Amino acid sequence: MISYNPDQKNIGNKLCYAYGFRAIDTDDPHRIAKAKANFVLSPIVFQNGRRLKVKFISANWIGIDFDAGPSLEEITKTFCDVVHVIGTSKSHQKNKGIYPPCDRFHVFLKLSE
């Protein structure tokens, strides 16, 4: 199970994503990858869709952000033997402030318990 926010017009504006998350009852990596390509995702399910620590309900996945460091190719090889979803971020291969273009992406890994 994961959460997504249907507010596509504000993608990139972190202040708009404190609430409004909806749970998806799936652990299908293909469905999660499709959602990742279109929505802001969270591996956490929140009570009333409110993105706060005190509203935590559950998490079947863990999300890791990579803004610099290993390449997309290296990470793909690293996680090839486990259930995962990789999606590039909005700043993938673009300048980000003073930082030059590089691979920037998110990895979701399925938790075993």
Side-chain angles (χ1 to χ4, degrees):
M1 200 168 210
I2 63 164
S3 295
Y4 77 100
N5 194 303
D7 182 5
Q8 292 177 304
K9 68 181 177 180
N10 287 305
I11 289 177
N13 184 348
K14 292 181 182 181
L15 299 176
C16 293
Y17 292 103
Y19 54 89
F21 281 84
R22 298 179 185 171
I24 302 172
D25 190 11
T26 186
D27 281 326
D28 177 2
H30 299 289
R31 188 166 179 211
I32 292 169
K34 188 175 180 179
K36 173 71 181 107
N38 295 294
F39 301 100
V40 171
L41 288 190
S42 174
I44 299 169
V45 176
F46 304 96
Q47 180 184 14
N48 301 325
R50 190 76 193 255
R51 192 173 166 179
L52 295 169
K53 286 191 294 187
V54 297
K55 301 290 184 175
F56 175 88
I57 294 176
S58 67
N60 296 349
W61 294 77
I62 187 169
I64 307 168
D65 291 346
F66 291 89
D67 282 336
S71 70
L72 197 52
E73 183 180 348
E74 290 170 320
I75 291 298
T76 301
K77 288 177 185 175
T78 299
F79 295 120
C80 69
D81 293 329
V82 297
V83 177
H84 69 279
V85 174
I86 299 175
T88 57
S89 69
K90 64 180 179 61
S91 58
H92 176 68
Q93 290 300 330
K94 296 180 183 175
N95 288 324
K96 188 174 181 181
I98 63 169
Y99 301 102
C102 67
D103 287 345
R104 293 185 179 95
F105 51 92
H106 312 282
V107 178
F108 279 21
L109 298 170
K110 177 74 175 93
L111 297 171
S112 60
E113 46 181 278

